[in-house]
Amino acid sequence: QANVINLKTFLSAVRLAHQGNDTGVLPLSPLVPAKNSDVEKPKTKMIITSRRDYPLTKSFPFSLEHLQTSYCKLARIDSRVLCLRRLRKLDLSHNHIKQLPATLGDLVCLQELDLHDNHLEAFSGALCSSGLQKSLQLLDLSQNQIQALPLEFCQLRGLVQLRLDDNALLRLPCRIGQLSRLRFLSAARNKLPFLPWDFRNLSLENLDLFGNPFEQPNPLVPNIQLKIPLTLLECAARATVNHRIPYGCHLLPSHLCKDLEVAKTCRCGSACLSSFIQITVTMNLHHVAHTVVLVDNMGGTDAPVLCYFCSLHCYSQFLDRHLQSRG
């Protein structure tokens, strides 16, 4: 926003000086500090709420920290957006996005990601293993078509607020209890029949699970998957988890590593892999959240939670206590 005449004069003086000529003949103005109004400040926020306002030829300012492009009928995330490494808040709600690029994880400063009301069918495990692990605090995936979240989802340890409402979720990640910073969770109007056992480890301020078709728990009807005697693989897997023996893909096949990462935990504290007894038990959601939205129209705040036993002995002990409590 410099004065055009003064700028041309200055550039002419620079050219003459470079050529070794005398610059005394040029009418140079005295140096005066630029006013704040003369200096264009870097743009840090841009909000676009209609397709006609979406820039097709112009680039987005690299200084952006907050970008909203809603109601623009976007079918994918613009590659120009993925170059904005200073972004802290990205709102792509109310579009037609079906898939998320892995390069979205390169936005290492991103704290809030809003993908509300799109056409997503999955959330990539690669994104959960990216730089978003530490930076992402708010994630809104509500009103999409997601049926399941990847195992790696629980690596997003920085999450404080997670919205999963109005999807087609059949289950929550089995290690969701690892999200130790999570305080606000909403997964209303999905297709959840029960909650994972690790759900008990959450410590929430607000929880909303309204409108899910939760099954009626029945501890007397177990799903028995015991293999007696235990296979060598099962014994080795249990020992690896119970004794916290280090492992990795450089030591074990990748599919075995994934199996170990989702090992079930018996009520006695021991691990079990593919040999177990599974039941559902009732849990009052106030055990994990200060404020709970009613689960149904009947005023209930209870939900079924999966429970595992590593042996008949552990299941028998639980069953005895359960029958005694019922009188």
Side-chain angles (χ1 to χ4, degrees), residues 3-21:
N3 183 286
V4 176
I5 297 176
N6 290 340
L7 180 59
K8 287 182 178 180
T9 303
F10 173 73
L11 293 176
S12 297
V14 172
R15 184 172 64 253
L16 289 173
H18 179 68
Q19 295 172 351
N21 298 325

Side-chain angles (χ1 to χ4, degrees), residues 168-180:
L169 285 171
L170 298 170
R171 65 179 185 273
L172 293 175
C174 62
R175 295 298 187 190
I176 193 171
Q178 294 179 352
L179 300 178
S180 58

Side-chain angles (χ1 to χ4, degrees), residues 14 22 31 66 81 91 96 118 142 149 213 215 222 256 261 304 307:
V14 172
D22 183 15
L31 292 176
H66 177 187
V81 173
D91 186 345
H96 300 163
N118 274 280
S142 56
L149 294 170
E215 296 178 353
L256 289 181
E261 289 172 1
C307 186

Side-chain angles (χ1 to χ4, degrees), residues 10-307:
F10 173 73
L11 293 176
S12 297
V14 172
R15 184 172 64 253
L16 289 173
H18 179 68
Q19 295 172 351
N21 298 325
D22 183 15
T23 59
V25 297
L26 291 172
L28 295 176
S29 60
L31 292 176
V32 178
K35 300 178 182 177
N36 290 336
S37 58
D38 295 333
V39 180
E40 185 176 358
K41 296 181 180 179
K43 192 168 187 177
T44 59
K45 184 176 182 180
M46 178 180 288
I47 297 179
I48 304 169
T49 56
S50 68
R51 187 174 180 82
R52 68 175 180 272
D53 296 330
Y54 192 85
L56 298 177
T57 56
K58 295 174 59 179
S59 298
F60 291 98
F62 286 102
S63 54
L64 283 181
E65 297 180 6
H66 177 187
L67 174 62
Q68 177 181 347
T69 57
S70 303
Y71 302 99
C72 295
K73 300 182 180 179
L74 299 177
R76 59 182 178 83
I77 299 181
D78 196 327
S79 59
R80 294 174 296 170
V81 173
L82 301 173
C83 298
L84 305 176
R85 300 303 170 86
R86 296 185 181 181
L87 274 183
R88 296 181 180 275
K89 182 175 181 179
L90 178 58
D91 186 345
L92 298 168
S93 59
H94 306 288
N95 282 295
H96 300 163
I97 299 171
K98 295 183 178 180
Q99 191 173 5
L100 301 176
T103 47
L104 182 63
D106 294 337
L107 302 178
V108 294
C109 294
L110 196 62
Q111 297 177 352
E112 299 183 20
L113 177 58
D114 190 344
L115 294 163
H116 169 78
D117 188 21
N118 274 280
H119 298 168
L120 293 173
E121 296 181 358
F123 190 85
S124 168
L127 288 178
C128 305
S129 305
S130 68
L132 299 181
Q133 281 184 338
K134 297 180 179 180
S135 66
L136 198 60
Q137 299 178 18
L138 183 151
L139 177 60
D140 191 343
L141 296 172
S142 56
Q143 289 193 28
N144 280 280
Q145 302 164 18
I146 301 173
Q147 294 187 8
L149 294 170
L151 171 64
E152 298 85 355
F153 189 85
C154 298
Q155 295 178 16
L156 297 174
R157 303 292 178 84
L159 278 181
V160 176
Q161 188 166 346
L162 176 60
R163 299 172 183 167
L164 301 168
D165 309 292
D166 300 293
N167 276 278
L169 285 171
L170 298 170
R171 65 179 185 273
L172 293 175
C174 62
R175 295 298 187 190
I176 193 171
Q178 294 179 352
L179 300 178
S180 58
R181 296 187 61 191
L182 193 64
R183 295 295 177 265
F184 302 88
L185 172 62
S186 57
R189 296 174 297 279
N190 278 279
K191 299 181 180 180
L192 300 174
F194 43 71
L195 301 174
W197 175 250
D198 207 47
F199 198 88
R200 302 172 67 99
N201 294 327
L202 291 174
S203 180
L204 305 171
E205 293 182 20
N206 190 283
L207 173 63
D208 184 359
L209 296 174
F210 178 81
N212 281 284
F214 287 126
E215 296 178 353
Q216 187 66 29
N218 189 352
L220 302 179
V221 184
N223 175 18
I224 301 177
Q225 300 290 333
L226 283 178
K227 299 174 183 178
I228 302 175
L230 295 178
T231 64
L232 181 60
L233 176 61
E234 180 74 18
C235 291
R238 291 188 179 192
T240 300
V241 177
N242 291 338
H243 298 289
R244 299 182 180 180
I245 300 173
Y247 64 88
C249 293
H250 62 292
L251 297 173
L252 300 174
S254 58
H255 70 279
L256 289 181
C257 291
K258 290 184 178 180
D259 289 343
L260 289 170
E261 289 172 1
V262 295
K264 290 84 175 170
T265 303
C266 176
R267 290 176 71 95
C268 73
S270 299
C272 45
L273 204 68
S274 58
S275 180
F276 55 84
I277 297 176
Q278 174 189 294
I279 64 171
T280 53
V281 296
T282 299
M283 180 183 72
N284 191 301
L285 297 177
H286 281 291
H287 289 311
V288 297
H290 180 267
T291 303
V292 178
V293 176
L294 300 181
V295 172
D296 50 43
N297 291 323
M298 304 301 293
T301 57
D302 291 341
V305 179
L306 284 180
C307 186

